[in-house]
């Protein structure tokens, strides 16, 4: 995957103002995609790791990588930024206000003077997804692109999962797997959704948390399907481990409408699934 840099033959830098740029940024690196007017991906840049580990140096590395990227120095119709972290808070619409946002977030997470809160409306959940973005990263992006819309990386995941058919007796369990943490949602027809995030270190930790959710939510290991996407592939260790306990398990691949090149295996795009679905969250 580290060798994958895709630019379609239809890409025309002179038409960049017709394109949508989506950038996935975390504290340790970034990747990006460019979609044309039909929401077809015409450019996909591999994950680039920041050179330094400290916060300030990471942002300096980010600034340098942007400056040296020909594609990121074009003008775009829209620029979306997908911020990756395991810290966010869902607030129902009826309780949402600017004051309540800050109070609620700080009850669950630490908010420093170096962070800035942002929020996305997830209509299907009747809720707002509230998250913090380091100001140093935000300033770099705004300076580079002027108008930027920020999303938490769990937003397209939750929005997509909640739109699927919901079973009353044996609901599906959706997991978005990231490095060292994962998000999970079990949609409920009556709106009583189970939503949470867990940090993990080893594959056995990840499997334990998922199986414990099945137990706590009284799900049937033979009937409720586990659907995983993100940083995961069919042959990975945690999938093989979970298959020992769960009868129905699916690794969710990128939707066919977002496929880029048939000669590149779909599974190679798993890690970009939230990035490439981001334009659907407008």
């Amino acid at each position: 995957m580290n060798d994958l840099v895709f630019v379609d033959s239809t890409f025309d830098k002179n038409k960049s103002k017709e394109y949508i740029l989506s950038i996935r940024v975390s504290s340790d690196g970034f990747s990006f995609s460019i979609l044309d007017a039909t929401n077809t991906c015409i450019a996909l840049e591999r994950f680039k790791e920041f050179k330094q580990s400290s916060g300030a140096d990471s942002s300096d590395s980010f600034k340098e990588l942007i400056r040296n990227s020909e594609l990121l120095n074009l003008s775009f119709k829209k620029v979306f930024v997908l911020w990756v972290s395991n810290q966010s808070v869902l607030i129902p619409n009826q309780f949402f206000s600017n004051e309540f946002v800050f109070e609620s977030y700080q009850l669950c997470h630490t908010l420093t003077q170096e962070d800035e809160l942002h929020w996305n409306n997830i209509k299907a959940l009747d809720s707002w997804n509230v998250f913090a973005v380091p100001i140093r990263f935000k300033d770099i992006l705004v300076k580079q692109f002027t108008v930027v819309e920020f999303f938490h990386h769990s937003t397209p995941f939750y929005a997509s999962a909640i739109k699927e058919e919901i079973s009353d007796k044996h609901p599906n369990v959706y997991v978005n797997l990231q490095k060292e943490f994962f998000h999970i949602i079990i949609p409920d027809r009556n709106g009583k959704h189970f939503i949470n995030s867990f940090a993990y270190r080893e594959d056995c930790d990840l499997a334990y948390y998922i199986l414990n959710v099945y137990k706590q939510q009284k799900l049937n290991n033979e009937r409720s399907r586990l659907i995983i996407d993100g940083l995961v592939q069919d042959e990975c260790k945690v999938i093989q481990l979970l298959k020992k306990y769960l009868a129905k398990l699916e690794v969710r691949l990128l939707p066919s409408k977002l496929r880029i090149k048939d000669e590149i295996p779909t599974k190679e795009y798993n890690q970009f699934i939230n990035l490439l679905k981001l334009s659907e969250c407008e």
Side-chain angles (χ1 to χ4, degrees), residues 29 42 55 58 114 117 220 267:
I42 55 176
S58 294
E114 298 177 350
L117 284 186
N220 189 315
K267 66 181 182 180

Side-chain angles (χ1 to χ4, degrees), residues 6 42 99 146 172 202 226 231:
F6 166 76
I42 55 176
E99 295 78 13
T146 306
N172 290 335
E202 307 291 341
L226 175 64
L231 299 178

